[in-house]
Amino acid sequence: MSAAGRQNLDAMLDVLVYENVLVAWRHAPLGGYLIVSHEGEEIRLTAQQADMWSRGAFAVYLALVDARRISPRIPGDGARH
């Protein structure tokens, strides 16, 4: 995965933590990722797996926002507060 790809993945994971979709994440050895779920499960993934997982989690998050089942926490969305 390119450096730009890793930066994008890191940013997406940061948003998922901020939006409370997952508890935490960090870089793991050998270029992998460790994602912590709300159940306390630590999920070890390769960079490619983490990219695919985060895209899926982000798609579900956006679908729930679009369906107005949850409200985003991201600042600047004054229409939903």
Side-chain angles (χ1 to χ4, degrees):
M1 176 176 282
S2 70
R6 284 185 71 87
Q7 287 176 340
N8 289 339
L9 175 55
D10 292 357
M12 191 177 307
L13 289 168
D14 285 341
V15 169
L16 291 171
V17 169
Y18 181 79
E19 291 294 334
N20 204 28
V21 174
L22 56 98
V23 173
W25 71 273
R26 70 172 195 240
H27 291 141
L30 303 174
Y33 285 79
L34 178 71
I35 295 172
V36 181
S37 73
H38 283 282
E39 292 78 27
E41 184 179 6
E42 293 185 351
I43 306 163
R44 293 184 186 278
L45 303 168
T46 66
Q48 291 78 16
Q49 290 169 328
D51 183 56
M52 188 180 315
W53 185 92
S54 63
R55 288 174 191 265
F58 210 81
V60 169
Y61 163 76
L62 291 176
L64 291 170
V65 169
D66 285 345
R68 297 182 186 256
R69 303 233 7 235
I70 61 173
S71 296
R73 295 178 53 200
I74 295 176
D77 190 16
R80 299 206 183 190
H81 292 285

Coordinates of all heavy atoms in Angstrom, one line a residue:
M1 N 0.9 -1.2 0.0 CA 0.0 0.0 0.0 C 0.9 1.2 0.0 O 1.9 1.3 0.7 CB -0.9 0.0 1.2 CG -1.8 1.2 1.4 SD -2.9 1.1 2.8 CE -4.2 0.1 2.1
S2 N 0.5 2.2 -0.8 CA 1.3 3.4 -0.9 C 1.2 4.3 0.4 O 0.3 4.1 1.2 CB 0.9 4.3 -2.1 OG -0.4 4.8 -1.8
A3 N 2.2 5.2 0.5 CA 2.1 6.1 1.7 C 0.8 6.9 1.7 O 0.2 7.1 2.8 CB 3.3 7.0 1.7
A4 N 0.4 7.4 0.5 CA -0.9 8.1 0.5 C -2.1 7.2 0.8 O -3.0 7.7 1.5 CB -1.1 8.7 -0.9
G5 N -2.0 6.0 0.4 CA -3.1 5.0 0.8 C -3.1 4.8 2.3 O -4.2 4.7 2.8
R6 N -2.0 4.7 2.9 CA -1.9 4.5 4.3 C -2.4 5.7 5.1 O -3.1 5.6 6.1 CB -0.5 4.2 4.8 CG -0.1 2.7 4.5 CD 1.2 2.4 5.1 NE 1.3 2.2 6.5 CZ 1.0 1.1 7.2 NH1 0.6 0.0 6.6 NH2 1.0 1.1 8.5
Q7 N -2.1 6.9 4.6 CA -2.6 8.1 5.2 C -4.1 8.2 5.1 O -4.8 8.6 6.0 CB -1.9 9.4 4.5 CG -0.5 9.6 4.9 CD 0.1 10.7 4.1 OE1 -0.4 11.2 3.1 NE2 1.2 11.2 4.7
N8 N -4.6 7.8 3.9 CA -6.1 7.9 3.8 C -6.8 6.8 4.7 O -7.8 7.1 5.3 CB -6.5 7.6 2.3 CG -6.2 8.7 1.4 OD1 -6.0 9.8 1.8 ND2 -6.0 8.4 0.1
L9 N -6.2 5.7 4.8 CA -6.7 4.6 5.7 C -6.6 5.1 7.1 O -7.6 5.0 7.9 CB -6.0 3.3 5.5 CG -6.3 2.2 6.5 CD1 -7.8 1.9 6.4 CD2 -5.5 0.9 6.1
D10 N -5.5 5.7 7.5 CA -5.4 6.2 8.9 C -6.4 7.3 9.2 O -7.1 7.3 10.3 CB -4.0 6.8 9.1 CG -2.9 5.8 9.1 OD1 -3.2 4.5 9.0 OD2 -1.7 6.2 9.2
A11 N -6.7 8.1 8.2 CA -7.7 9.2 8.4 C -9.1 8.6 8.5 O -9.9 9.0 9.4 CB -7.6 10.2 7.2
M12 N -9.4 7.6 7.7 CA -10.7 7.0 7.8 C -10.9 6.3 9.1 O -12.0 6.4 9.7 CB -10.9 6.0 6.6 CG -12.3 5.5 6.5 SD -12.6 4.4 5.1 CE -12.0 5.2 3.8
L13 N -9.9 5.6 9.6 CA -10.0 5.0 10.9 C -10.1 6.0 12.0 O -10.9 5.8 13.0 CB -8.7 4.1 11.1 CG -8.7 2.8 10.3 CD1 -7.3 2.1 10.4 CD2 -9.8 1.8 10.7
D14 N -9.4 7.1 11.9 CA -9.6 8.2 12.9 C -11.1 8.7 12.9 O -11.6 8.9 14.0 CB -8.7 9.4 12.6 CG -7.2 9.1 12.9 OD1 -6.9 8.2 13.7 OD2 -6.4 9.8 12.4
V15 N -11.7 8.8 11.8 CA -13.1 9.3 11.7 C -14.0 8.2 12.4 O -14.9 8.6 13.1 CB -13.5 9.6 10.3 CG1 -15.0 9.8 10.2 CG2 -12.8 10.8 9.7
L16 N -13.7 6.9 12.1 CA -14.5 5.9 12.7 C -14.4 5.8 14.2 O -15.4 5.6 14.9 CB -14.2 4.5 12.0 CG -14.6 4.3 10.6 CD1 -14.0 3.1 10.0 CD2 -16.1 4.4 10.4
V17 N -13.3 6.2 14.7 CA -13.1 6.3 16.2 C -13.8 7.5 16.7 O -14.6 7.4 17.6 CB -11.6 6.3 16.6 CG1 -11.5 6.7 18.1 CG2 -10.9 5.0 16.3
Y18 N -13.7 8.6 16.0 CA -14.3 9.9 16.4 C -15.8 9.7 16.4 O -16.5 10.2 17.3 CB -13.9 11.0 15.5 CG -14.5 12.3 15.9 CD1 -14.0 13.1 16.9 CD2 -15.7 12.8 15.2 CE1 -14.6 14.3 17.3 CE2 -16.2 14.0 15.6 CZ -15.7 14.8 16.6 OH -16.3 15.9 17.0
E19 N -16.4 9.0 15.4 CA -17.8 8.8 15.3 C -18.3 7.6 16.2 O -19.4 7.2 16.1 CB -18.2 8.6 13.8 CG -18.0 9.8 13.0 CD -19.0 10.9 13.4 OE1 -20.1 10.7 14.0 OE2 -18.7 12.1 13.1
N20 N -17.4 7.0 16.9 CA -17.7 6.0 17.9 C -18.2 4.7 17.2 O -18.9 3.9 17.8 CB -18.8 6.4 18.9 CG -18.7 5.7 20.2 OD1 -17.7 5.2 20.6 ND2 -19.9 5.6 20.8
V21 N -17.7 4.4 16.0 CA -18.0 3.2 15.3 C -17.0 2.1 15.9 O -17.4 0.9 16.0 CB -17.8 3.3 13.8 CG1 -18.0 2.0 13.1 CG2 -18.8 4.4 13.2
L22 N -15.8 2.5 16.2 CA -14.9 1.6 16.8 C -14.2 2.3 18.0 O -14.2 3.5 18.1 CB -13.9 0.9 15.8 CG -13.1 1.8 15.0 CD1 -11.7 2.0 15.6 CD2 -12.9 1.2 13.6
V23 N -13.6 1.5 18.9 CA -13.0 2.1 20.1 C -11.6 2.7 19.8 O -11.3 3.8 20.2 CB -12.9 1.0 21.2 CG1 -12.1 1.6 22.4 CG2 -14.3 0.6 21.6
A24 N -10.8 2.0 19.1 CA -9.4 2.4 18.8 C -8.8 1.6 17.7 O -9.3 0.6 17.3 CB -8.6 2.3 20.1
W25 N -7.7 2.1 17.2 CA -6.9 1.4 16.3 C -5.4 1.9 16.4 O -5.1 2.9 17.0 CB -7.3 1.7 14.8 CG -7.0 3.1 14.4 CD1 -7.7 4.2 14.5 CD2 -5.8 3.5 13.7 NE1 -7.1 5.3 14.0 CE2 -5.9 4.9 13.5 CE3 -4.7 2.8 13.2 CZ2 -4.9 5.6 12.8 CZ3 -3.7 3.5 12.6 CH2 -3.8 4.9 12.4
R26 N -4.5 1.0 15.9 CA -3.1 1.4 15.9 C -2.4 0.6 14.9 O -2.9 -0.4 14.4 CB -2.5 1.2 17.3 CG -2.3 -0.2 17.7 CD -1.5 -0.3 19.0 NE -1.1 -1.7 19.2 CZ -1.4 -2.4 20.2 NH1 -2.1 -2.0 21.2 NH2 -0.9 -3.7 20.2
H27 N -1.2 1.1 14.5 CA -0.4 0.3 13.6 C 0.2 -0.9 14.3 O 0.5 -0.9 15.5 CB 0.8 1.1 13.1 CG 0.3 2.2 12.1 ND1 0.9 3.5 12.2 CD2 -0.6 2.3 11.2 CE1 0.3 4.3 11.3 NE2 -0.6 3.6 10.7
A28 N 0.2 -2.0 13.6 CA 0.7 -3.3 14.1 C 2.0 -3.6 13.4 O 2.3 -3.0 12.4 CB -0.3 -4.4 13.9
P29 N 2.8 -4.5 13.9 CA 4.1 -4.9 13.2 C 3.8 -5.3 11.8 O 2.8 -5.8 11.4 CB 4.6 -6.0 14.1 CG 4.0 -5.9 15.4 CD 2.6 -5.2 15.1
L30 N 4.9 -5.2 11.0 CA 4.9 -5.6 9.6 C 3.8 -4.9 8.7 O 3.3 -5.4 7.8 CB 4.7 -7.1 9.5 CG 5.7 -8.0 10.3 CD1 5.3 -9.4 10.2 CD2 7.1 -7.7 9.7
G31 N 3.5 -3.6 9.1 CA 2.6 -2.8 8.2 C 1.2 -3.1 8.4 O 0.3 -2.6 7.7
G32 N 0.8 -3.9 9.5 CA -0.6 -4.2 9.7 C -1.3 -3.2 10.6 O -0.7 -2.2 11.0
Y33 N -2.5 -3.5 11.0 CA -3.3 -2.7 11.8 C -3.9 -3.5 12.9 O -4.2 -4.7 12.7 CB -4.4 -2.0 11.0 CG -3.9 -0.9 10.1 CD1 -3.3 -1.2 8.9 CD2 -4.1 0.4 10.5 CE1 -2.9 -0.1 8.1 CE2 -3.6 1.5 9.7 CZ -3.0 1.2 8.5 OH -2.6 2.2 7.7
L34 N -4.2 -2.9 14.1 CA -4.9 -3.5 15.1 C -6.1 -2.6 15.4 O -6.0 -1.5 15.7 CB -4.1 -3.6 16.4 CG -4.7 -4.2 17.6 CD1 -5.0 -5.7 17.4 CD2 -3.9 -4.0 18.9
I35 N -7.3 -3.2 15.3 CA -8.5 -2.5 15.5 C -9.2 -3.0 16.7 O -9.3 -4.3 16.9 CB -9.5 -2.6 14.2 CG1 -8.8 -2.0 13.0 CG2 -10.8 -2.0 14.5 CD1 -9.5 -2.2 11.7
V36 N -9.7 -2.2 17.6 CA -10.4 -2.6 18.8 C -11.9 -2.3 18.7 O -12.3 -1.1 18.5 CB -9.8 -1.9 20.1 CG1 -10.5 -2.4 21.3 CG2 -8.3 -2.1 20.1
S37 N -12.7 -3.3 18.8 CA -14.1 -3.2 18.7 C -14.7 -2.8 20.1 O -14.0 -2.8 21.1 CB -14.8 -4.5 18.3 OG -14.7 -5.5 19.4
H38 N -16.0 -2.4 20.1 CA -16.7 -2.1 21.4 C -16.8 -3.3 22.3 O -17.0 -3.1 23.5 CB -18.1 -1.5 21.1 CG -18.0 -0.1 20.6 ND1 -17.7 1.0 21.4 CD2 -18.0 0.5 19.3 CE1 -17.7 2.1 20.7 NE2 -17.8 1.8 19.5
E39 N -16.7 -4.5 21.8 CA -16.8 -5.7 22.6 C -15.4 -6.0 23.2 O -15.3 -6.9 24.0 CB -17.3 -6.9 21.8 CG -18.7 -6.8 21.4 CD -18.9 -5.9 20.2 OE1 -18.0 -5.7 19.4 OE2 -20.0 -5.3 20.0
G40 N -14.4 -5.1 22.9 CA -13.1 -5.4 23.5 C -12.2 -6.3 22.6 O -11.1 -6.6 23.0
E41 N -12.8 -6.7 21.5 CA -12.1 -7.6 20.6 C -11.0 -6.9 19.9 O -11.2 -5.8 19.4 CB -13.0 -8.3 19.6 CG -12.4 -9.3 18.7 CD -13.4 -9.9 17.8 OE1 -14.6 -9.5 17.7 OE2 -13.0 -10.8 17.0
E42 N -9.8 -7.4 19.8 CA -8.7 -6.9 19.1 C -8.5 -7.6 17.8 O -8.3 -8.8 17.8 CB -7.4 -7.0 19.9 CG -7.4 -6.1 21.1 CD -6.1 -6.1 21.9 OE1 -5.2 -6.9 21.5 OE2 -5.9 -5.3 22.8
I43 N -8.7 -6.9 16.7 CA -8.7 -7.5 15.4 C -7.4 -7.1 14.7 O -7.2 -6.0 14.4 CB -9.9 -7.1 14.5 CG1 -11.2 -7.3 15.3 CG2 -10.0 -7.7 13.2 CD1 -12.4 -6.5 14.8
R44 N -6.6 -8.1 14.4 CA -5.3 -7.9 13.6 C -5.6 -8.1 12.2 O -6.0 -9.1 11.7 CB -4.2 -8.8 14.1 CG -3.8 -8.5 15.6 CD -2.7 -9.4 16.0 NE -2.4 -9.2 17.4 CZ -1.7 -8.2 17.9 NH1 -1.2 -7.3 17.2 NH2 -1.6 -8.1 19.2
L45 N -5.2 -7.1 11.4 CA -5.4 -7.1 9.9 C -4.2 -6.6 9.2 O -3.5 -5.8 9.7 CB -6.6 -6.2 9.6 CG -8.0 -6.5 10.2 CD1 -8.9 -5.3 10.0 CD2 -8.6 -7.8 9.7
T46 N -4.1 -7.1 8.0 CA -3.1 -6.6 7.1 C -3.6 -5.2 6.6 O -4.7 -4.9 6.8 CB -2.9 -7.4 5.8 OG1 -4.1 -7.4 5.0 CG2 -2.5 -8.9 6.2
A47 N -2.7 -4.4 6.0 CA -3.1 -3.1 5.5 C -4.3 -3.2 4.5 O -5.3 -2.4 4.6 CB -2.0 -2.3 4.9
Q48 N -4.2 -4.2 3.6 CA -5.3 -4.4 2.6 C -6.6 -4.8 3.3 O -7.6 -4.3 2.9 CB -4.8 -5.4 1.6 CG -3.7 -5.0 0.7 CD -2.3 -5.0 1.3 OE1 -2.1 -5.7 2.4 NE2 -1.4 -4.3 0.8
Q49 N -6.5 -5.7 4.3 CA -7.7 -6.1 5.0 C -8.3 -4.9 5.8 O -9.5 -4.8 5.8 CB -7.4 -7.3 6.0 CG -7.1 -8.6 5.3 CD -6.5 -9.6 6.3 OE1 -5.8 -9.2 7.3 NE2 -6.8 -10.9 6.0
A50 N -7.5 -4.2 6.4 CA -7.9 -3.0 7.2 C -8.6 -2.0 6.3 O -9.6 -1.4 6.6 CB -6.8 -2.3 8.0
D51 N -8.0 -1.8 5.1 CA -8.6 -0.9 4.1 C -10.0 -1.4 3.7 O -11.0 -0.6 3.7 CB -7.7 -0.8 2.9 CG -8.3 0.2 1.9 OD1 -8.5 1.4 2.2 OD2 -8.5 -0.2 0.7
M52 N -10.2 -2.7 3.4 CA -11.5 -3.2 3.0 C -12.4 -3.1 4.2 O -13.6 -2.8 4.0 CB -11.3 -4.7 2.6 CG -12.6 -5.2 2.0 SD -12.4 -6.9 1.4 CE -10.9 -7.0 0.5
W53 N -12.0 -3.5 5.4 CA -12.9 -3.4 6.6 C -13.3 -2.0 6.8 O -14.5 -1.8 7.1 CB -12.1 -4.0 7.8 CG -12.9 -4.1 9.0 CD1 -13.7 -5.2 9.4 CD2 -13.2 -3.1 10.0 NE1 -14.3 -4.9 10.6 CE2 -14.1 -3.6 10.9 CE3 -12.8 -1.7 10.1 CZ2 -14.5 -2.8 12.0 CZ3 -13.2 -1.0 11.2 CH2 -14.1 -1.5 12.1
S54 N -12.4 -1.1 6.8 CA -12.8 0.3 7.1 C -13.7 0.9 6.1 O -14.7 1.6 6.4 CB -11.6 1.2 7.3 OG -10.9 1.3 6.1
R55 N -13.6 0.5 4.8 CA -14.5 1.0 3.7 C -15.9 0.4 4.0 O -16.9 1.2 3.8 CB -14.0 0.6 2.4 CG -12.8 1.4 1.9 CD -12.3 0.8 0.6 NE -11.0 1.4 0.3 CZ -10.8 2.5 -0.5 NH1 -11.9 3.0 -1.0 NH2 -9.6 2.9 -0.8
G56 N -16.0 -0.8 4.4 CA -17.3 -1.4 4.7 C -17.9 -0.8 5.9 O -19.1 -0.4 5.9
A57 N -17.1 -0.6 7.0 CA -17.7 0.1 8.2 C -18.1 1.5 7.9 O -19.1 1.9 8.4 CB -16.6 0.0 9.3
F58 N -17.3 2.2 7.1 CA -17.7 3.6 6.7 C -19.0 3.6 5.9 O -19.8 4.5 6.1 CB -16.5 4.2 6.0 CG -16.4 5.7 6.2 CD1 -15.8 6.2 7.4 CD2 -17.0 6.6 5.3 CE1 -15.8 7.6 7.6 CE2 -16.9 8.0 5.5 CZ -16.3 8.5 6.6
A59 N -19.1 2.7 5.0 CA -20.3 2.6 4.2 C -21.6 2.4 5.0 O -22.6 3.0 4.8 CB -20.2 1.5 3.1
V60 N -21.5 1.5 6.0 CA -22.6 1.2 6.9 C -22.9 2.5 7.8 O -24.0 2.9 7.9 CB -22.3 0.0 7.9 CG1 -23.3 -0.1 9.0 CG2 -22.2 -1.3 7.0
Y61 N -21.8 3.1 8.3 CA -22.0 4.3 9.0 C -22.7 5.4 8.2 O -23.7 6.0 8.7 CB -20.6 4.9 9.5 CG -20.7 6.3 9.9 CD1 -21.2 6.7 11.1 CD2 -20.2 7.3 9.1 CE1 -21.2 8.0 11.5 CE2 -20.2 8.6 9.5 CZ -20.7 9.0 10.7 OH -20.8 10.3 11.1
L62 N -22.3 5.6 6.9 CA -22.9 6.6 6.1 C -24.4 6.2 5.8 O -25.3 7.1 5.7 CB -22.1 6.8 4.8 CG -20.8 7.5 5.0 CD1 -20.0 7.5 3.6 CD2 -20.9 8.9 5.6
A63 N -24.7 5.0 5.6 CA -26.0 4.5 5.3 C -26.9 4.8 6.5 O -28.1 5.3 6.3 CB -26.1 3.0 5.0
L64 N -26.4 4.6 7.7 CA -27.2 4.9 8.9 C -27.4 6.4 9.1 O -28.5 6.9 9.5 CB -26.5 4.3 10.2 CG -26.5 2.8 10.3 CD1 -25.6 2.4 11.4 CD2 -27.9 2.3 10.4
V65 N -26.5 7.2 8.7 CA -26.6 8.7 8.7 C -27.7 9.1 7.7 O -28.6 9.9 8.0 CB -25.3 9.4 8.5 CG1 -25.5 10.9 8.3 CG2 -24.3 9.2 9.7
D66 N -27.5 8.6 6.5 CA -28.5 8.9 5.4 C -29.9 8.5 5.8 O -30.9 9.2 5.4 CB -28.1 8.2 4.1 CG -26.9 8.9 3.4 OD1 -26.5 10.0 3.8 OD2 -26.3 8.3 2.5
A67 N -30.1 7.4 6.5 CA -31.4 6.9 6.9 C -31.9 7.7 8.2 O -33.0 7.4 8.7 CB -31.4 5.4 7.2
R68 N -31.1 8.6 8.7 CA -31.4 9.4 9.9 C -31.6 8.5 11.1 O -32.3 8.8 12.0 CB -32.5 10.3 9.6 CG -32.2 11.3 8.6 CD -33.4 12.3 8.4 NE -33.1 13.1 7.3 CZ -32.7 14.4 7.4 NH1 -32.6 14.9 8.6 NH2 -32.5 15.1 6.3
R69 N -30.9 7.4 11.1 CA -31.0 6.5 12.3 C -29.9 6.9 13.3 O -30.1 6.6 14.5 CB -30.7 5.0 11.9 CG -31.7 4.6 10.8 CD -32.5 3.3 11.0 NE -32.5 2.6 12.2 CZ -32.2 1.3 12.3 NH1 -31.8 0.7 11.2 NH2 -32.2 0.7 13.4
I70 N -28.9 7.6 12.9 CA -27.9 8.1 13.8 C -27.5 9.5 13.3 O -27.7 9.8 12.1 CB -26.6 7.3 13.9 CG1 -25.9 7.1 12.6 CG2 -26.9 5.9 14.5 CD1 -24.5 6.4 12.6
S71 N -27.0 10.4 14.2 CA -26.5 11.7 13.8 C -25.0 11.7 13.9 O -24.4 11.3 14.8 CB -27.1 12.7 14.7 OG -28.5 12.8 14.6
P72 N -24.4 12.3 12.8 CA -22.9 12.4 12.9 C -22.4 13.4 13.9 O -23.1 14.3 14.2 CB -22.6 12.9 11.4 CG -23.8 13.6 11.0 CD -24.9 12.9 11.6
R73 N -21.3 13.1 14.4 CA -20.7 14.0 15.4 C -19.7 15.0 14.8 O -19.2 16.0 15.4 CB -19.8 13.2 16.4 CG -20.7 12.3 17.3 CD -19.9 11.5 18.2 NE -19.0 12.4 19.0 CZ -17.9 12.0 19.6 NH1 -17.5 10.7 19.6 NH2 -17.2 12.8 20.3
I74 N -19.4 14.9 13.5 CA -18.5 15.7 12.8 C -18.9 17.2 12.9 O -20.1 17.5 12.5 CB -18.3 15.3 11.3 CG1 -17.7 13.9 11.3 CG2 -17.5 16.3 10.5 CD1 -17.5 13.3 9.9
P75 N -18.1 18.1 13.3 CA -18.5 19.5 13.4 C -18.8 20.1 12.1 O -18.4 19.6 11.0 CB -17.2 20.2 13.9 CG -16.3 19.1 14.5 CD -16.7 17.8 13.7
G76 N -19.7 21.1 12.1 CA -20.1 21.8 10.9 C -21.4 21.3 10.3 O -21.9 21.8 9.3
D77 N -22.0 20.2 10.8 CA -23.3 19.7 10.3 C -24.4 20.3 11.1 O -25.1 19.6 11.8 CB -23.3 18.2 10.3 CG -24.4 17.6 9.5 OD1 -25.1 18.4 8.8 OD2 -24.8 16.5 9.7
G78 N -24.6 21.6 11.1 CA -25.5 22.3 12.0 C -27.0 21.9 11.6 O -27.9 22.1 12.5
A79 N -27.3 21.4 10.5 CA -28.6 21.1 10.1 C -29.2 20.0 10.9 O -30.4 19.8 11.0 CB -28.7 20.7 8.6
R80 N -28.4 19.1 11.5 CA -28.9 17.9 12.2 C -28.9 18.1 13.7 O -29.2 17.2 14.4 CB -28.1 16.7 11.8 CG -28.2 16.5 10.3 CD -28.0 15.1 10.0 NE -28.0 14.9 8.6 CZ -28.1 13.8 8.0 NH1 -28.0 12.7 8.6 NH2 -28.1 13.7 6.7
H81 N -28.4 19.2 14.2 CA -28.3 19.4 15.7 C -29.6 19.8 16.2 O -30.3 20.6 16.1 CB -27.1 20.3 16.0 CG -25.8 19.7 15.7 ND1 -25.3 18.7 16.5 CD2 -25.0 19.9 14.7 CE1 -24.1 18.3 15.9 NE2 -23.9 19.1 14.9

